[in-house]
């Protein structure tokens, strides 16, 4: 792929930076080499000096590394150390390599101490072991040893690889651990390599490269820069090589190149300076520049001015885009790039004219916004995925943006794939928006795919399940529908939906009854009652047997059948009539009259049997089955037959007797009030009120339901009921007033005494609470003052006897702020963590209370249970507030 076809983005902010005020022309001197560390910049000059600059480009120190007639041609700061390697060259003598310790000082010169000197060196490896020396005549010298400690031939090294390039070919040398100096002759056109213990392989016989156009990829950048170990840039392309596989990938990029650098996960390229006459026809860069600046450049408008044009490009080879592309322009041969270096968090470009440019990479948000504006969402996803600090939620939001874009382009299948990826491990609130989109476009297949994935990730609610099953039915996908019905366990609210589809849409009544047989009683009952008439109409015998099993306490959930005997085709009008939402949520059974007779059968689930009359309306159109149902109930060996017979024969005394034996006293009172039997209600109240105090609240509502009832009970009975409600705390005064105001029967005079006493009592409570608050406030202020005094004022201890042995105090003495004093020997503590023995019990009690409060602060279940059982909700909330249950957890800064 050619780089010319890659998109370019301004991912870097480029700024011109001036040198420090103390040395404004430091970059305009004779600079021959550049190196940098994270905090310092090193400049090698033509007169043998090394200038060390700070990150703000202030001159820190000048090092006289060589004689004035020698130029510092090479500089390298060894990463992770304080070592600086310099090479000085003089045409009249051999080149000299020196290793300097920047953190050590020479006692005589106060300059950084140099540790080693070797002649005839040209270049070093980052670890200084080995050191490879390459010469312009094709010679190569390799030194293996410790240049820092001068152990030379005594030290062995591990195996490594050395990449070598001439202008014609590219080679890779495997270096063994033999110490010493080895020489080789490569020659411009090739040649033999000395050293029998070294394996030299020609990687590319026709792939040489110029100086500065080959660079090794650091290990930490290898995965994001390229697929090789070495990058080689030639006039036609960028090539990647590895020692094992030879030539790897390449990217076409026409044009001469003079330097290649690696910066983070980017590759930076410098194209050599090109001269272009400004008086051309306008087709050249120089001609374009002349058009921009007019004839104001130069003293003579007719004078020809040569412009030097150098290109600087930052490339992401993995993302296949250009992150920056700048043109450095100058005149008179000063338009080239002197060096590129990394200092601090920035990339810097130094021009031959002494101008310094800072390249600051934009943050991820700015990059993503640029890509969003171009609708390049795949590139945005790739860029965000490589960021080590990206959060899953943020990455999912990018997925959703891309899905929204595809949806707007009506690529619904593609959009759905990215919506599914955006679900992540914890589906978010955007789910409903996605569902609405695909409902509006009637893309049922895509919607099913999305809802199925939502269920797999446990992010589906009842409504989602309802919709999924509805889509199955609408799409007539009976295979998936049956599979879903078999897999459901009835715990997610799907029961109403499944039964609804089986009965109303598929008309598979036997299957519906089989499914009900697999549910727990609390879920089977409401579904049975909802569809009882339809089931009795189409499968009367099976449905009647189900009723008998349930109402006689013999219902036991069984495993669902492995296969339903259903046809794969649905009725023709199924899809058109099926609703997209369930009519009602699943609720547990709440009716109760008779206890279960299955208590002794520990292997069968227990449930409360419903009253027989709750099933009567279901059998209106099935009298024969109704008789069968009643006969089956009469065969039960318990009180249900008496209750049923009493109910059928309107024998109220029999009904009361059964309910009394079963402890259903409230039902007896309710039956009397329903029948307007005031006398019976009074008798039930007087008889059962010790065991059922809540009868007073029901009695208040009934006694004031009409003037006739109030007349029958009398005002005194009403006052007695009010008195008991107040004594037992069954209702708040406001609740009493609200109950009385439902029917305008009771007058103010009837409740005047009750209201007066209630108001007086509450006033006393308010006054008592205020006194208690004041006492707490006074105690708190006193304790706070005492704590402040202990923390800031001296304490005088006047005790003369030890609190433990009661003997006269002598040194060493331990005084506690509680004013208790002890001999140190009487405390029996050797770790110095003293605690007053007299106060220890109280202190441990307080600590235990604190621990309990801390533990209970997170037990919201206990709080809810206490609130549910409380008669005074406000008092309970106040108590738990004091325990810290409503205190926000501390914010952890990270």
């Amino acid at each position: 792929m050619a780089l010319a076809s890659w998109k370019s983005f301004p991912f870097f902010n480029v700024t011109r930076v001036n040198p420090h005020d103390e040395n404004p022309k430091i970059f305009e001197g004779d600079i021959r080499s550049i190196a940098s560390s994270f905090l310092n910049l090193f400049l090698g000059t033509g007169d043998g000096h090394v200038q060390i600059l700070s990150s703000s480009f202030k001159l820190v120190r000048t090092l006289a590394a060589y004689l004035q007639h020698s130029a510092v041609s090479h500089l390298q700061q060894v990463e992770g150390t304080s070592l600086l390697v310099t090479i000085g060259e003089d045409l009249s003598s051999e080149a000299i390599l020196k290793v300097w310790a920047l953190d050590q000082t020479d006692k005589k010169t106060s300059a950084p101490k140099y540790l080693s000197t070797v002649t005839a060196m040209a270049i070093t490896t980052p670890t200084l072991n080995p050191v490879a020396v390459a010469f312009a005549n094709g010679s190569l010298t390799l030194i293996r040893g410790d240049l820092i400690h001068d152990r030379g031939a005594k030290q062995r090294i591990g195996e490594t690889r050395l990449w070598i390039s001439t202008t014609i070919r590219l080679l890779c040398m495997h270096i063994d651990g033999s110490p010493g100096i080895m020489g080789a002759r490569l020659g411009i056109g090739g040649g033999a390599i000395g050293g029998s213990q070294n394996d030299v392989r020609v990687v590319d016989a026709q792939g040489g490269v110029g100086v500065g156009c080959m660079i090794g990829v650091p290990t930490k950048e290898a995965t994001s820069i390229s697929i090789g170990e070495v990058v080689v840039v030639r006039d036609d392309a960028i090539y990647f090589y590895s020692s094992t596989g030879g030539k790897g990938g390449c990217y076409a990029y026409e044009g001469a190149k003079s330097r290649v650098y690696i910066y983070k996960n980017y590759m930076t390229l410098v194209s050599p300076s090109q001269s272009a006459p400004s008086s051309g026809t306008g087709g050249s860069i120089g001609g374009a520049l002349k058009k921009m600046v007019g004839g104001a450049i130069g003293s003579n408008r007719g004078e020809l001015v040569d412009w030097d044009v150098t290109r600087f490009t930052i490339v992401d080879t993995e993302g296949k885009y250009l992150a920056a592309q700048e043109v450095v322009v100058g005149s008179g041969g000063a338009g080239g790039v002197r060096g590129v270096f990394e200092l601090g968090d920035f990339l810097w470009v130094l021009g031959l004219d002494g101008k310094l440019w800072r390249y600051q990479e934009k943050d991820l948000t700015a990059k993503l916004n640029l890509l969003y504006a171009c609708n390049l969402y795949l590139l945005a996803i790739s860029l965000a995925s490589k960021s080590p600090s990206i959060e899953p939620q943020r990455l999912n939001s990018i997925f959703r943006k891309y899905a929204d874009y595809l949806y707007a382009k009506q690529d619904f299948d593609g959009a759905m794939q990215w919506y599914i990826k955006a679900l992540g491990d914890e589906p978010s609130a955007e789910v409903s928006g996605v569902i609405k989109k695909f409902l509006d476009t009637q893309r049922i297949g895509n919607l099913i795919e999305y809802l199925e994935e939502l269920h797999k990730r446990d992010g589906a609610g009842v409504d989602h399940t309802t919709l999924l099953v509805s889509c199955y039915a609408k799409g007539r996908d009976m295979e998936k529908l049956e599979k879903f019905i078999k897999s459901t366990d009835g715990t997610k609210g799907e029961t109403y939906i499944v039964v609804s589809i089986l009965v109303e849409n598929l008309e598979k009544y036997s299957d519906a009854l089989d499914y009900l047989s697999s549910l727990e009683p609390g879920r089977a009952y409401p579904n049975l009652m909802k569809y009882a008439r339809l089931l009795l109409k189409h499968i009367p015998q099976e449905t009647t047997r189900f009723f008998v099993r349930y109402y006689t306490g013999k219902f036991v959930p069984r495993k669902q059948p492995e296969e339903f005997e259903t046809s794969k085709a649905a009725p023709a009008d199924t899809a058109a009539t099926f609703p997209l939402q369930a009519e009602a949520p699943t609720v547990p059974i709440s009716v109760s009259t008779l206890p279960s007779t299955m208590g002794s059968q520990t292997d069968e689930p227990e449930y409360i049997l419903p009253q027989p009359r709750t099933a009567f309306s279901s059998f209106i159109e099935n009298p024969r089955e109704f008789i069968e149902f009643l006969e089956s109930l009469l065969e039960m060996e318990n009180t249900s037959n008496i209750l049923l017979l009493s109910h059928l024969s309107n024998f109220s005394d029999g009904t009361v007797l059964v309910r009394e034996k079963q402890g259903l006293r409230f039902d007896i009172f309710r039956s009397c009030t329903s029948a307007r039997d005031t006398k019976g209600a009074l008798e039930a109240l007087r008889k059962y009120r010790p065991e059922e105090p809540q009868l007073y609240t029901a009695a208040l509502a009934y006694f004031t339901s009409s003037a006739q009832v109030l007349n029958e009970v009398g005002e005194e009975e009403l006052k007695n009921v009010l008195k008991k409600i107040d004594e037992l705390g069954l209702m708040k005064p406001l609740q009493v007033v609200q109950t009385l105001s439902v029917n305008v029967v009771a007058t103010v005079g009837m409740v005047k005494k009750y209201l007066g006493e209630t108001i007086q009592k509450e006033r006393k409570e308010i006054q008592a609470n205020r006194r208690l608050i004041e006492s707490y406030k006074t105690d708190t202020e006193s304790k706070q003052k005492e704590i402040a005094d202990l923390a800031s004022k001296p304490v005088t201890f006047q005790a003369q006897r030890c609190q433990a042995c009661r003997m006269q105090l002598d040194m060493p003495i331990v005084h506690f702020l509680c004013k208790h004093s002890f001999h140190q020997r009487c405390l029996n503590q050797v770790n110095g963590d003293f605690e007053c023995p007299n106060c220890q019990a109280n202190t441990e009690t307080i600590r235990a209370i604190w621990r309990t409060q801390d533990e209970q602060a997170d037990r919201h279940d206990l709080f809810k249970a206490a609130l549910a059982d409380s008669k005074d909700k406000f008092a309970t909330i106040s108590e738990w507030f004091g325990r810290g249950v409503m205190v926000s957890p501390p914010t952890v800064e990270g």
Side-chain angles (χ1 to χ4, degrees):
M1 179 182 289
L3 263 69
S5 65
W6 291 7
K7 293 185 180 296
S8 178
F9 305 101
F11 280 174
F12 283 79
N13 293 320
V14 185
T15 310
R16 167 80 183 279
V17 178
N18 293 321
H20 197 274
D21 294 340
E22 295 182 4
N23 43 291
K25 296 186 178 182
I26 186 111
F27 294 124
E28 297 179 9
D30 184 11
I31 300 174
R32 301 295 181 90
S33 55
I34 300 175
S36 67
S37 64
F38 186 78
L39 296 176
N40 294 104
L41 178 65
F42 307 93
L43 303 178
T45 67
D47 59 0
H49 289 83
V50 175
Q51 295 174 324
I52 304 176
L53 281 63
S54 68
S55 58
S56 60
F57 304 110
K58 180 180 180 181
L59 184 61
V60 177
R61 177 182 295 168
T62 298
L63 173 64
Y66 300 94
L67 298 177
Q68 291 187 356
H69 58 273
S70 297
V72 182
S73 60
H74 295 278
L75 281 174
Q76 182 170 337
Q77 199 278 328
V78 182
E79 185 177 358
T81 71
S82 59
L83 301 178
L84 179 67
V85 180
T86 63
I87 296 181
E89 292 188 78
D90 184 2
L91 294 177
S92 63
S93 61
E94 294 180 331
I96 299 176
L97 179 146
K98 292 184 179 181
V99 181
W100 305 82
L102 299 178
D103 59 345
Q104 300 179 33
T105 304
D106 189 288
K107 295 181 179 180
K108 295 181 180 180
T109 63
S110 298
K113 183 179 180 180
Y114 74 87
L115 305 177
S116 183
T117 301
V118 181
T119 60
M121 293 294 120
I123 193 168
T124 69
T125 59
T127 60
L128 302 186
N129 188 9
V131 175
V133 186
F135 297 91
N137 63 0
S139 298
L140 176 72
T141 300
L142 186 68
I143 290 188
R144 293 166 292 192
D146 192 344
L147 294 179
I148 299 175
H149 302 95
D150 284 329
R151 292 204 295 269
K154 295 181 180 179
Q155 180 174 352
R156 297 181 62 88
I157 61 171
E159 183 177 343
T160 186
R161 287 186 297 272
L162 177 65
W163 287 87
I164 309 165
S165 176
T166 68
T167 57
I168 296 178
R169 60 180 182 169
L170 182 67
L171 308 98
C172 181
M173 175 186 292
H174 289 263
I175 306 170
D176 60 19
S178 302
I181 299 177
M182 183 273 291
R185 173 83 180 178
L186 301 178
I188 300 300
I193 297 204
S196 60
Q197 296 180 353
N198 298 284
D199 178 22
V200 180
R201 183 168 64 92
V202 177
V203 179
D204 194 338
Q206 299 178 349
V209 70
V211 176
C213 292
M214 179 177 73
I215 191 170
V217 179
T219 303
K220 61 182 180 180
E221 314 291 353
T223 57
S224 57
I225 288 291
S226 69
I227 57 175
E229 299 174 7
V230 170
V231 178
V232 173
V233 293
R234 302 192 183 101
D235 292 350
D236 60 339
I238 301 171
Y239 296 89
F240 301 99
Y241 291 88
S242 67
S243 60
T244 56
K247 184 184 294 187
C250 71
Y251 300 106
Y253 186 39
E254 294 289 343
K257 302 165 189 70
S258 59
R259 285 288 187 272
V260 59
Y261 301 90
I262 299 297
Y263 173 67
K264 294 184 179 178
N265 59 320
Y266 297 103
M267 182 190 305
T268 65
L269 304 173
V270 178
S271 299
S273 177
Q274 299 177 1
S275 297
S278 63
S279 59
T281 61
S284 65
I285 296 177
L289 290 172
K290 178 171 173 101
K291 289 181 180 179
M292 288 190 289
V293 300
I297 301 178
S299 59
N300 189 341
R301 295 195 177 187
E303 180 182 356
L304 292 177
V305 179
D306 286 339
W307 294 95
D308 293 331
V309 179
T310 299
R311 288 190 176 275
F312 179 69
T313 309
I314 301 178
V315 182
D316 186 326
T317 57
E318 184 182 15
K320 295 182 174 54
Y321 64 84
L322 308 183
Q325 194 170 23
E326 301 291 331
V327 176
V328 182
V329 180
S331 62
V337 173
R338 187 183 300 276
V340 179
F341 57 89
E342 185 177 353
L343 182 62
D345 294 324
F346 310 112
L347 181 68
W348 302 83
V349 176
L350 178 61
L352 289 173
D353 55 1
K355 293 180 181 179
L356 185 64
W357 303 89
R358 180 181 66 200
Y359 285 73
Q360 180 180 6
E361 188 177 9
K362 295 180 179 180
D363 61 23
L364 180 61
T365 301
K367 292 180 182 178
L368 293 178
N369 289 335
L370 287 171
L371 296 176
Y372 294 157
C374 301
N375 294 327
L376 298 174
Y377 293 97
L378 285 177
L379 185 55
I381 292 170
S382 174
L383 190 66
S385 300
K386 292 188 295 183
S387 174
S389 60
I390 192 72
E391 297 178 353
Q393 295 85 349
R394 189 177 183 188
L395 194 58
N396 291 340
S397 69
I398 303 176
F399 294 163
R400 279 192 294 274
K401 286 180 182 291
Y402 184 39
D404 291 340
Y405 170 75
L406 293 176
Y407 182 88
K409 303 287 287 184
Q410 296 188 351
D411 181 2
F412 300 114
D413 294 336
M416 179 50 66
Q417 296 306 312
W418 286 100
Y419 279 129
I420 289 175
K421 289 184 179 180
L423 285 174
D425 295 330
E426 298 180 1
S428 59
E430 285 78 5
V431 168
S432 58
V434 176
I435 292 175
K436 185 178 184 304
K437 285 185 177 185
F438 285 86
L439 273 176
D440 293 343
T441 55
Q442 291 297 303
R443 301 285 300 186
I444 302 302
N446 296 129
L447 190 56
I448 288 175
E449 186 179 7
Y450 188 71
L451 292 170
E452 286 176 341
E453 190 66 30
L454 197 61
H455 279 76
K456 290 179 183 177
R457 305 188 187 204
D458 292 330
V462 176
D463 292 338
H464 302 132
T465 304
T466 303
L467 187 57
L468 177 58
V469 178
S470 302
C471 290
Y472 285 153
K474 189 170 184 178
R476 301 184 183 181
D477 193 339
M478 296 301 105
E479 183 176 351
K480 283 190 174 182
L481 179 59
E482 292 178 9
K483 183 178 178 181
F484 183 83
I485 292 174
K486 296 173 189 176
S487 65
T488 180
D489 55 6
T491 60
K492 299 180 181 179
E494 305 98 334
T495 53
Y496 263 105
I497 309 163
V498 173
V499 177
S500 172
I501 291 175
L502 290 173
V503 174
E504 298 178 4
N505 294 85
L506 304 182
E507 298 179 358
K508 302 299 179 184
Y509 306 106
S510 297
D511 291 345
L513 207 59
D514 284 341
Y515 178 71
L516 290 178
S517 300
S518 68
L519 300 178
E520 294 296 324
R523 294 186 177 273
Y525 180 79
N527 284 281
L528 173 66
M529 299 309 294
K530 180 178 181 180
Y531 295 103
R533 292 189 183 183
L534 270 174
L535 293 173
L536 283 168
K537 178 180 179 181
H538 293 281
I539 47 172
Q541 293 300 317
E542 296 93 324
T543 306
T544 302
R545 287 195 292 270
F546 191 98
F547 267 101
V548 171
R549 287 203 314 273
Y550 196 94
Y551 277 79
T552 57
K554 298 178 181 178
F555 176 79
V556 179
R558 61 177 176 80
K559 293 182 65 176
Q560 295 185 33
E562 294 184 0
E563 294 186 6
F564 289 109
E565 296 178 0
T566 59
S567 107
K568 299 297 179 183
D573 59 346
T574 295
T577 60
F578 189 77
L580 286 179
Q581 292 187 359
E583 297 179 3
T586 302
V587 295
I589 178 173
S590 59
V591 294
S592 62
T593 54
L594 296 177
S596 173
T597 61
M598 301 162 54
S600 60
Q601 301 176 13
T602 57
D603 58 333
E604 297 180 356
E606 296 183 357
Y607 61 95
I608 300 175
L609 297 180
Q611 292 186 15
R613 66 169 179 267
T614 58
F616 291 176
S617 61
S618 302
F619 289 89
I620 289 178
E621 299 178 0
N622 298 77
R624 180 179 301 176
E625 286 75 18
F626 183 46
I627 294 174
E628 181 182 343
F629 171 68
L630 294 177
E631 288 176 346
S632 299
L633 295 183
L634 290 174
E635 293 174 0
M636 293 176 61
E637 297 180 357
N638 53 40
T639 58
S640 62
N641 54 3
I642 302 175
L643 182 64
L644 180 60
L645 290 173
S646 299
H647 182 77
L648 294 176
S649 60
N650 199 23
F651 180 48
S652 59
D653 290 344
T655 303
V656 170
L657 178 63
V658 173
R659 288 175 175 167
E660 253 186 13
K661 289 184 177 181
Q662 295 176 350
L664 304 176
R665 305 175 187 87
F666 213 105
D667 281 0
I668 296 174
F669 180 83
R670 196 177 303 165
S671 298
C672 295
T673 58
S674 299
R676 291 293 175 176
D677 182 6
T678 305
K679 180 180 178 182
L682 282 171
E683 290 177 356
L685 175 62
R686 292 164 184 162
K687 186 174 182 180
Y688 306 127
R689 61 190 176 190
E691 296 85 3
E692 295 282 353
Q694 288 295 335
L695 286 175
Y696 284 110
T697 61
L700 178 64
Y702 175 66
F703 291 169
T704 58
S705 61
S706 68
Q708 179 182 353
V709 174
L710 182 58
N711 226 8
E712 292 176 356
V713 299
E715 292 185 16
E716 286 302 319
E717 192 64 38
L718 176 62
K719 292 177 181 179
N720 290 335
V721 169
L722 288 171
K723 181 179 179 182
K724 285 294 184 181
I725 289 175
D726 183 44
E727 290 176 354
L728 299 175
L730 299 175
M731 298 175 71
K732 295 291 184 183
L734 181 60
Q735 293 175 311
V736 173
V737 173
Q738 289 173 341
T739 301
L740 296 176
S741 63
V742 174
N743 298 298
V744 187
V745 175
T747 62
V748 176
M750 295 179 184
V751 295
K752 181 178 180 180
K753 182 179 179 182
Y754 164 76
L755 293 176
E757 291 176 351
T758 301
I759 293 172
Q760 186 66 24
K761 183 173 65 174
E762 291 194 350
R763 283 177 178 172
K764 291 180 180 179
E765 287 183 8
I766 291 172
Q767 292 174 358
N769 288 337
R770 285 175 177 171
R771 288 194 297 270
L772 192 60
I773 290 170
E774 287 299 323
S775 68
Y776 285 160
K777 185 177 179 181
T778 302
D779 290 346
T780 302
E781 292 174 351
S782 174
K783 296 297 183 184
Q784 288 176 341
K785 183 177 182 303
E786 185 178 350
I787 292 172
D789 291 345
L790 289 174
S792 60
K793 295 181 180 180
V795 179
T796 303
F797 299 97
Q798 299 178 343
Q800 298 181 358
R801 294 186 178 275
C802 174
Q803 293 290 324
C805 67
R806 309 306 298 176
M807 300 294 290
Q808 189 73 23
L809 286 171
D810 54 11
M811 301 298 288
I813 303 172
V814 178
H815 298 288
F816 293 98
L817 292 178
C818 57
K819 300 299 180 69
H820 295 146
S821 302
F822 298 84
H823 292 120
Q824 183 176 352
R825 62 179 178 273
C826 293
L827 292 176
N828 295 325
Q829 292 176 322
V830 296
N831 57 1
D833 188 13
F834 297 113
E835 187 170 355
C836 178
N838 290 13
C839 303
Q840 187 173 7
N842 291 335
T843 305
E844 289 179 351
T845 300
I846 293 173
R847 288 175 182 156
I849 293 173
W850 283 350
R851 285 195 300 270
T852 302
Q853 288 183 344
D854 287 341
E855 292 170 359
Q856 290 187 349
D858 295 330
R859 293 294 306 276
H860 299 290
D861 54 335
L862 297 179
F863 167 67
K864 292 177 181 178
L867 193 62
D869 297 336
S870 173
K871 296 180 180 179
D872 191 342
K873 309 290 186 185
F874 184 78
T876 302
I877 293 174
S878 300
E879 178 189 353
W880 280 82
F881 183 83
R883 297 183 187 180
V885 74
M886 300 176 190
V887 177
S888 300
T891 303
V892 179
E893 297 183 359

